[in-house]
Structure formats: C-alpha cells, structure tokens
Amino acid sequence: MASLVEYKGLKVGYYCGYCDSEEGKASCGMWAHSMTVQDYQDLIDRGWRRSGKYVYKPVMNQTCCPQYTIRCRPLQFQPSKSHKKVLKKMLKFLAKGEISKGNCEDEPMEPTMPTMEDAVASDFALINKLDIQCDLKTLGDDLKESVKSEEKKKGKSSEREESNELIQSQDMEEKLDSGEPSHSAKVHTAPQPGKGADLSKPPCRKAKEIRKERKRLKLMQQNPGGALEGFQVRCQPPSLFPPKAKSNQPKSLEDLIFESLPESASHKFEVRLVPVSFEDPEFKSSFSQSFSLYVKYQMAIHQDPPDECGKTEFTRFLCSSPLEAENPPYGPDCGYGSFHQQYWLDGKIIAVGVIDVLPYCVSSVYLYYDPDYSFLSLGVYSALREIAFTRQLHEKTPQLSYYYMGFYIHSCPKMKYKGQYRPSDLLCPETYVWVPIEQCLPSLENSKYCRFNQDPEAVDGDRSQEPDRLQVFYKKAIMPYGVYKKQQRDPSEEAAVLQYASLVGQTCSERMLLFRN
C-alpha cells in the first residue's frame, strides 16, 4: 500500500479567514487519493495539514498570516487554573445540572494565561518535601546543640532530667518575653540565676520554640520511629499542608476528567470514538444527527448560509479522509486512521471532535458543537479530552506521545489560544525541528515570519537531494522521476515536480507516488 497524491502547485491571493484579506494568502496543495498514516505523519512534521482529502502547506514567508505547526507534550501537561475551571464546570453540570453564571460563550479562542498559582501547584509536592527536609535538619541541629550544652553543665543525665532543664529554660524565656529588664554583661561570666543570659551558651530561643521542642522530645520518647515526622507535619503552616494529607500532589488531568458522578446525577454523559467510514455501523447510524449538528454550528458560529453547509460539503470536509486505516499488533487498540470523537449528552450528540490517530501523535482536525451548550466551553473541554486520550494511547504505544493542534497563528488573536496548552513546541519553517514555544514568542512579537532554529548553519535534514529517485505514477506504471522526465518536453513540468520534491522531502518523495497525467 502506497500513498497516491496529485500535486496542484501554488495558490496565491484567495480569501484568508484569519485576517479577512482577499490577497496575500499563499499555500501549495495536493489531492491525496490515498495516504498511509506514516506518510501523513511525516508530512505534518514538515508543515503540511489536511482538509478532507486536500493536503496543503502554507508558504510561510509569503502568506499574510504565517501558520506554524504546533504540538503539545501531553505526558508533561498539567491543566492550568482556567482548564480546571472548565472541567469542574462540566462535572457540576453533569452531577447537579448547574449552569455557571456569567459569560456563557465558549472559551476555545481566548482562555486565560496560566497564573503563578498554577505554576506553584505543579511543584507543590517538591516544595513541601524541601521544606520538611530543611526543618528536620534545623531541628536535628538544635537538638544536638541543646544536648551538648546540657552535658557540659551537668554531665550525662537521664531523659527526665533533660526535660526538667527544658522546662527551666522555658520559664526563663517567658520572663524575658514578659518585659523584665536584662542585665548586660561586659565579661563572659556566669550570671546569678534570673539575672541575665549566659553568654557562654547558645542564645535562648523563644518560649514557643522551646515548647515545641519539649513536645517533640516527649513524642520521640513514646514513639522513636515515627513521632518526629508526624509532629513536623502538624507544626507546618496550614497553607503548605492542606487538611487532606494525600492532596499534596495536584490532581492529574484524568482525575479531573473522570471523577465519578453520583448515582443521582442530573445528566448522562458519554464519549464515543467512531471510525470515519460509512462501512462502520455506528458511524452510519449517527451520521444524520452528526450532520444536523454541523449545520447548526456552522450557521450559528461561522454565519455560513445554508447552501454552504450541505451534506456534500460536510462529507467532503469532515467525513472524507485519505488516510488508510491500519491495525498493526503493536499499535493502539483503536488502530490508526481518522475518527469522530462524539460527545453524547442524554442520548444526543452535542459535540464532535474530528481527529487523526497517527504513529506518533493524535492530530486534531476540527471541532463542531451545539451552540446551546456553549456555556460548557466545549472547545476547551474537547482539547483536554483529546490530550487525555493521547496519554491513554501512549500506555500501549509508547512512541505515540504528542498532541498536534493544527496551526498556531501568532498574528491572529483567535488562534493564539493554542499556545496555552503547555508544554508545547512550534515547528521551524526552514529546518523542520521543534522548538519550545517560550523560545519562539519573543521573535514572533517582532516579526510575523520567523526561523526558530537559532543555528545559522542548520539546514533541512530531509531536503530533496536526489529528485531522480522520486516515485511517479504515470500511465498505470510506477517509475522513478529520472525515467519519467526523459519522456517529457514541457519545461514547466520539471519545475512543478522539483517544487513538490522540495516541499515533501526526500523520504516522502521516494515513498509516495506522484500521479502525473
């Protein structure tokens, strides 16, 4: 099985939906009659993207709105405060039927930036661990120092006598804290009882610290193995130690999404993964309802007229896929290919996420939802579900570990929300290496088009260097381009084939079949 594509060349000047420009948009495209999941994986790692069976690549240094391929790293992903709000809002609605007050519009376009609280929450367990270690070390040093000073004064004594000395020290400290004047000492001589501090000894601590230490010693006497740790936890400020000891670690994405609902929940909710194929009975049976939802969404959210969102357009745009389904034994249980992830509420579909499952990633294609449920922020919710789904697939297929969100357009405010799913990377448009988005943003503030790879000597590692090895499908025969070009006399043909080779790279040009008529 090989991919069969028909290259259509460069398109310039058609309508741009990001900046409403009639000119300035530029991209190269091809029709994919069929395509393997590995070929499409390699293509999107070179900046390509599909819409139905049409696969296109923006000409980044010419287009009005440069579109950078963005991917999230789900294995390190931690939901932000705004993400958690969306998940909790969904749970409250399902459990109690509660509808959050305030802005009921969907939130996929402009979620808030992660706050400092979110960053602290991510490292909460580490902060607690370090605080405990530091306090235990300080406690150990204080105990050693106190025991040594007592041994110098009285020699070896029993544990009971040490406790008595601590009580006497406490009484003296309480007097000092009460405001009684202390007598200064010009020479280091032992003062009379009650007349001042002994400068030959370590400075006295506050009464509160003495009481803590005395209680600590008592607990150590009763339970030498675990009392110290238990006491330490009880003495920590409540802000660092929440009432539930097991809540030190922030809740995982799965904990927030799959939190169990009560038996008396107000709504029944289910997410189904359906292969995009009219041969699949579940896809076929839900097609009518799914199409009706698409029409409602396009007309309400994108103000499309009815004649532009018919069944033909829906099928071509979101149900036709060039990807050949594959089910290798080492792959995920659902297999590779194109799917509709349907969100069912009380027996009806309220949202559909169109996704591709590829060898290294889950690629988000499109989302449409019922505008009546915009208050649930289904754009954000579906993205979080798809990130969790990627993590689930990774458990069986370790190499499948990324979530591709399509294009990030820094110059378009409506498309910048994708950068909030951290950690994430942007694809360098010249060398096709992934660069953390934090390193890219300063450059994008200064220029729409940027080369993210900071190495000026770096080049495209899979650039076309041997175009004669490119595979051509011509007159029902497969041949290398070196053979094919000898039969051609049109000079424009060579320019088109070489342009195609440079865009898809050497690997794909040798593996895919370029259809020429």
Side-chain angles (χ1 to χ4, degrees):
M1 180 176 61
S3 302
L4 179 62
V5 299
E6 187 174 355
Y7 185 62
K8 293 297 183 180
L10 176 67
K11 288 187 178 180
V12 180
Y14 60 98
Y15 173 73
C16 174
Y18 304 116
C19 65
D20 295 328
S21 171
E22 295 291 340
E23 297 181 358
K25 194 170 178 65
S27 71
C28 295
M30 56 189 178
W31 285 104
H33 298 282
S34 66
M35 184 168 286
T36 67
V37 291
Q38 184 60 61
D39 284 340
Y40 185 54
Q41 175 73 70
D42 291 344
L43 286 176
I44 63 174
D45 284 335
R46 293 182 63 82
W48 291 82
R49 200 79 189 155
R50 80 172 183 89
S51 175
K53 288 190 173 185
Y54 185 71
V55 187
Y56 63 100
K57 183 184 189 304
V59 182
M60 300 290 281
N61 57 355
Q62 295 182 31
T63 190
C64 55
C65 298
Q67 302 163 57
Y68 299 92
T69 302
I70 183 171
R71 73 177 186 185
C72 172
R73 286 175 260 152
L75 304 186
Q76 293 83 38
F77 175 80
Q78 285 289 345
S80 69
K81 188 175 182 180
S82 61
H83 295 153
K84 292 176 183 177
K85 284 183 178 179
V86 170
L87 296 176
K88 290 176 182 177
K89 179 168 57 178
M90 174 64 84
L91 287 172
K92 286 182 179 179
F93 172 73
L94 297 177
K96 303 177 182 179
E98 293 183 6
I99 298 176
S100 59
K101 297 178 181 179
N103 187 6
C104 290
E105 295 182 1
D106 195 24
E107 300 177 21
M109 296 303 180
E110 298 176 343
T112 57
M113 286 287 288
T115 63
M116 183 60 69
E117 293 176 25
D118 300 325
V120 171
S122 299
D123 295 326
F124 193 71
L126 178 60
I127 292 171
N128 284 345
K129 183 178 179 182
L130 293 175
D131 285 342
I132 292 172
Q133 289 176 343
C134 291
D135 285 344
L136 287 177
K137 185 177 184 300
T138 304
L139 169 62
D141 293 342
D142 290 345
L143 284 174
K144 289 178 183 178
E145 193 173 7
S146 177
V147 171
K148 284 182 180 178
S149 62
E150 294 298 330
E151 287 178 350
K152 286 181 181 179
K153 183 177 179 182
K154 294 186 176 180
K156 293 183 178 180
S157 60
S158 65
E159 292 182 356
R160 186 180 299 276
E161 290 171 341
E162 287 180 356
S163 298
N164 291 336
E165 288 299 325
L166 286 172
I167 294 172
Q168 293 174 4
S169 298
Q170 176 194 354
D171 293 339
M172 183 176 290
E173 189 73 23
E174 288 174 349
K175 288 183 180 179
L176 290 173
D177 289 342
S178 69
E180 291 183 18
S182 61
H183 298 273
S184 60
K186 294 182 180 180
V187 293
H188 293 187
T189 57
Q192 296 296 322
K195 297 297 183 181
D198 186 349
L199 298 182
S200 65
K201 296 181 179 179
C204 293
R205 295 185 301 280
K206 290 185 178 180
K208 186 177 180 181
E209 293 180 4
I210 300 294
R211 287 195 295 272
K212 286 182 182 179
E213 188 173 289
R214 182 177 53 158
K215 188 173 181 181
R216 197 172 283 123
L217 287 171
K218 185 177 179 181
L219 287 170
M220 288 178 68
Q221 259 184 313
Q222 296 172 353
N223 184 12
L228 184 63
E229 184 178 356
F231 183 78
Q232 178 64 27
V233 171
R234 284 192 292 273
C235 288
Q236 283 294 323
S239 61
L240 288 180
F241 285 84
K244 295 181 181 179
K246 293 184 179 180
S247 63
N248 287 346
Q249 290 285 353
K251 281 188 175 182
S252 69
L253 178 62
E254 289 77 9
D255 291 338
L256 293 165
I257 289 178
F258 302 113
E259 186 171 323
S260 58
L261 295 172
E263 293 183 3
S264 59
S266 299
H267 299 283
K268 182 181 179 182
F269 186 69
E270 182 183 5
V271 179
R272 302 177 189 173
L273 186 70
V274 182
V276 179
S277 170
F278 285 98
E279 296 179 2
D280 183 85
E282 196 167 0
F283 178 82
K284 193 173 181 179
S285 64
S286 62
F287 177 83
S288 179
Q289 188 180 164
S290 184
F291 166 64
S292 298
L293 177 63
Y294 165 78
V295 174
K296 185 177 182 180
Y297 171 81
Q298 292 295 125
M299 293 179 63
I301 303 299
H302 295 290
Q303 287 78 49
D304 286 355
D307 59 337
E308 290 185 10
C309 42
K311 192 169 293 187
T312 301
E313 287 77 14
F314 171 66
T315 303
R316 183 175 64 239
F317 179 34
L318 296 175
C319 300
S320 295
S321 171
L323 300 183
E324 300 291 339
E326 298 180 27
N327 290 275
Y330 54 83
D333 292 336
C334 63
Y336 298 115
S338 298
F339 298 86
H340 281 188
Q341 199 162 45
Q342 301 173 342
Y343 298 79
W344 290 75
L345 179 70
D346 299 331
K348 73 173 184 177
I349 304 175
I350 63 166
V352 176
V354 184
I355 61 174
D356 294 328
V357 178
L358 304 174
Y360 306 131
C361 72
V362 169
S363 174
S364 176
V365 179
Y366 198 70
L367 172 80
Y368 56 98
Y369 58 86
D370 190 336
D372 294 341
Y373 293 91
S374 292
F375 62 88
L376 291 175
S377 304
L378 292 170
V380 176
Y381 182 78
S382 64
L384 297 174
R385 290 290 301 227
E386 288 169 7
I387 290 173
F389 178 57
T390 306
R391 286 155 65 137
Q392 179 186 346
L393 297 182
H394 171 80
E395 293 179 4
K396 182 182 178 183
T397 312
Q399 70 270 20
L400 203 164
S401 55
Y402 295 103
Y403 174 59
Y404 285 49
M405 295 175 282
F407 289 132
Y408 173 82
I409 306 175
H410 192 76
S411 57
C412 177
K414 289 184 177 181
M415 299 300 287
K416 290 172 71 174
Y417 74 94
K418 296 180 181 181
Q420 310 311 320
Y421 295 85
R422 305 284 181 92
S424 57
D425 310 300
L426 297 183
L427 186 68
C428 176
E430 296 181 9
T431 61
Y432 304 113
V433 297
W434 294 98
V435 181
I437 192 171
E438 294 84 357
Q439 298 179 25
C440 305
L441 295 179
S443 300
L444 289 171
E445 288 294 329
N446 297 323
S447 174
K448 285 185 177 181
Y449 173 74
C450 299
R451 170 194 167 109
F452 300 135
N453 193 329
Q454 297 301 309
D455 181 2
E457 304 296 325
V459 295
D460 172 13
D462 193 39
R463 64 192 181 281
S464 176
Q465 300 185 73
E466 300 179 75
D468 283 356
R469 296 177 59 178
L470 179 150
Q471 296 296 297
V472 176
F473 185 73
Y474 179 62
K475 292 184 177 179
K476 299 182 180 181
I478 299 172
M479 64 188 72
Y481 176 66
V483 174
Y484 168 77
K485 70 179 180 180
K486 293 177 182 178
Q487 305 176 33
Q488 303 303 312
R489 295 181 180 179
D490 184 359
S492 64
E493 176 70 1
E494 182 175 10
V497 173
L498 293 180
Q499 184 183 59
Y500 160 82
S502 68
L503 294 173
V504 303
Q506 186 69 37
T507 301
C508 282
S509 71
E510 293 183 30
R511 205 166 52 205
M512 298 193 306
L513 301 179
L514 175 62
F515 176 78
R516 305 312 283 173
N517 186 357

